[in-house]
Amino acid sequence: MSSSTVHSGPWFGDFGGSFAPETLMASLLELEEAWKGIGQTPEFKEELSDLLCNYAGRATPLTHARRMSEELGCELWLKREDLLHTGAHKLNNALGQALLAKKMGKTRILAETGAGQHGVATATVCALLGLECVIYMGEVDAARQKPNALRMELLGARLEVVKHGQKTLKDAINEAMRAWVSDPEAHYLLGSALGPHPFPALVAGFQQVIGEEALEQIQRQAGGLPDTVVACVGGGSNAIGIFRAFVQEDAVELIGVEAGGEGIETGNHAARFSGGEPGILHGCRTWLLQDEGGQILPTHSVSAGLDYPAVGPEHAELQALNRARYAWCTDREALEAFDTLSRLEGIIPALESSHALGWVRSHRDSLSGKRVLVNLSGRGDKDLASVFAQRDGGET
Ligand SMILES: *Cc1c(COP(=O)(O)O)cnc(C)c1O
């Protein structure tokens, strides 16, 4: 069994670290102390576990996707994070961090969001715990994920629409970090396993419940370990959340799927490992998309949650160690998988999760007869407008 090789940062091999302005260092240190102190007490763990179970709906089920298995010629299992309250894995981390912030005496939460699932999860926990909430979201994302923008407002959050740069996730993170610098009394509730220490390890720690459950469930329900575990990788939190439980099981292949957009050769994608190089963005050293002058390159994905130029540093280490492999799936393959799962299983997946499924569909030959575990990170209700706009030949 696993779980002893759990990283606590600040370094993941050559990656990670804390490249933050002096003014943020005090806040980051305060957070690290709270995480290592209050965050490790049995009282904190019990309170969080009670919320995860009785508020959020954990454990999420593991579903054997029988009809899709038959079509693909492999044994496909889905870890159902789409069934978690608010519709994606983001709530695991939002609950953990908000509870920690509350115990630190914070009254205000700042957060960024891309697809809006993290914004919704954060607005939700702030309503639950009585915290003030400000969410930064790029203008492009606020338009393509309108239902989520509306949900955040309904939940009592203030939505700050970011109108510069590419107006997507990177710009929202820039803005949220800037806001934190001038408001150190607030807690910045970062939504993925990226950014400066302690965020990558902190977020992974709150997401590893996914893999812990899935490991136990697949052994019980399928009678053994999976051959392959597949997850989509935006910042990398749902992937690291499921990978950590299987890292020590050498026989289990780990596949992270990035956004291939219109294809790597077009330059319109967000596949950091296939099209990028190591560098520094948002406080950590990791793989990212930049030009020769070190300027961050624009990204493209049909899925807002994967549309980000850097990746969490723990994935950079897993790749360097050859323990996980990072592949990509194009917009088109993801959209096809979105349709297939909807029609064959009655489950409408998030466009992000559809990238993991799209990779499996495209690699069915090499997966033939294998037991494949896919982390279904979220549900697709939020994506209907994007999907139908694509069908009509429009932009997303
Ligand atoms: C945000 C999001 C992602 C991407 O973020 P990770 O940190 O890489 O997990 C993937 N799937 C869904 C449903 C999301 O909301």
Side-chain angles (χ1 to χ4, degrees):
M1 301 292 279
S2 60
S3 93
S4 61
T5 48
V6 162
H7 277 299
S8 58
W11 292 98
F12 300 88
D14 292 335
F15 303 97
S18 186
F19 300 86
E22 204 57 39
T23 41
L24 276 192
M25 281 304 183
S27 303
L28 291 167
L29 263 166
E30 185 193 8
L31 177 59
E32 181 177 11
E33 272 169 26
W35 168 47
K36 291 188 172 162
I38 310 164
Q40 304 307 316
T41 60
E43 294 75 27
F44 180 87
K45 290 188 171 176
E46 253 163 59
E47 209 173 325
L48 178 56
S49 155
D50 177 65
L51 286 172
L52 287 170
C53 168
N54 298 313
Y55 180 74
R58 300 213 73 87
T60 59
L62 180 75
T63 299
H64 185 190
R66 288 192 169 79
R67 294 187 69 208
M68 190 142 162
S69 294
E70 199 169 306
E71 181 179 274
L72 297 179
C74 66
E75 187 189 320
L76 181 65
W77 294 82
L78 305 173
K79 179 59 176 162
R80 302 290 306 279
E81 293 300 295
D82 62 310
L83 289 178
L84 194 66
H85 180 44
T86 72
H89 68 291
K90 297 288 194 327
L91 192 63
N92 299 320
N93 168 52
L95 274 172
Q97 281 196 51
L99 194 60
L100 196 57
K102 179 122 188 169
K103 309 243 176 246
M104 290 165 76
K106 306 283 179 184
T107 56
R108 188 168 45 258
I109 301 290
L110 311 173
E112 84 296 339
T113 197
Q117 288 301 122
H118 177 56
V120 167
T122 302
T124 297
V125 298
C126 286
L128 175 73
L129 300 176
L131 297 162
E132 190 186 333
C133 180
V134 187
I135 307 284
Y136 293 83
M137 186 174 197
E139 194 174 27
V140 167
D141 291 338
R144 65 177 161 176
Q145 307 275 249
K146 184 91 196 262
N148 275 345
L150 297 175
R151 286 163 88 195
M152 285 175 239
E153 291 190 5
L154 208 55
L155 290 160
R158 181 153 59 83
L159 189 63
E160 292 281 347
V161 176
V162 180
K163 298 186 173 166
H164 53 256
Q166 228 192 312
K167 308 184 183 82
T168 55
L169 182 57
K170 167 176 73 73
D171 312 292
I173 296 180
N174 283 342
E175 242 359 87
M177 282 194 165
R178 211 166 288 151
W180 198 25
V181 169
S182 55
D183 186 10
E185 288 306 304
H187 171 66
Y188 176 30
L189 207 161
L190 185 53
S192 189
L194 50 82
H197 179 71
F199 284 113
L202 176 72
V203 175
F206 288 135
Q207 292 293 2
Q208 71 190 37
V209 63
I210 302 172
E212 286 163 6
E213 288 174 8
L215 174 64
E216 188 273 319
Q217 288 167 322
I218 202 156
Q219 293 187 106
R220 183 162 41 82
Q221 293 174 235
L225 289 169
D227 296 298
T228 307
V229 178
V230 188
C232 65
V233 183
S237 70
N238 87 86
I240 207 66
I242 197 161
F243 285 179
R244 273 187 170 193
F246 296 93
V247 157
Q248 287 197 328
E249 308 286 355
D250 289 336
V252 179
E253 180 186 34
L254 306 176
I255 306 284
V257 184
E258 299 183 282
E262 291 164 3
I264 304 303
E265 66 292 349
T266 66
N268 298 324
H269 61 82
R272 293 68 45 109
F273 287 113
S274 299
E277 57 187 54
I280 292 168
L281 180 68
H282 291 147
C284 79
R285 182 169 190 278
T286 185
W287 279 73
L288 49 88
L289 297 170
Q290 60 183 359
D291 68 15
E292 283 154 19
Q295 293 294 315
I296 299 303
L297 290 168
T299 50
H300 164 81
S301 173
V302 67
S303 127
L306 304 185
D307 203 351
Y308 177 67
V311 64
E314 195 164 346
H315 290 291
E317 186 189 28
L318 288 175
Q319 195 240 16
L321 295 172
N322 263 323
R323 181 59 193 93
R325 197 150 61 78
Y326 294 84
W328 45 274
C329 163
T330 62
D331 289 351
R332 176 189 289 269
E333 290 169 312
L335 287 161
E336 285 170 7
F338 179 94
D339 276 358
T340 308
L341 194 74
S342 301
R343 289 175 187 216
L344 290 183
E345 299 292 343
I347 299 170
I348 301 174
L351 277 178
E352 290 81 12
S353 326
S354 300
H355 283 69
L357 294 164
W359 182 87
V360 171
R361 281 184 85 235
S362 301
H363 293 78
R364 63 180 84 181
D365 291 345
S366 60
L367 294 171
S368 174
K370 289 192 174 171
R371 181 176 297 142
V372 180
L373 168 60
V374 167
N375 194 11
L376 201 74
S377 54
R379 68 178 189 224
D381 312 40
K382 69 184 176 56
D383 296 314
L384 298 186
S386 289
V387 167
F388 283 98
Q390 285 282 323
R391 284 198 190 148
D392 300 339
E395 282 281 289
T396 49

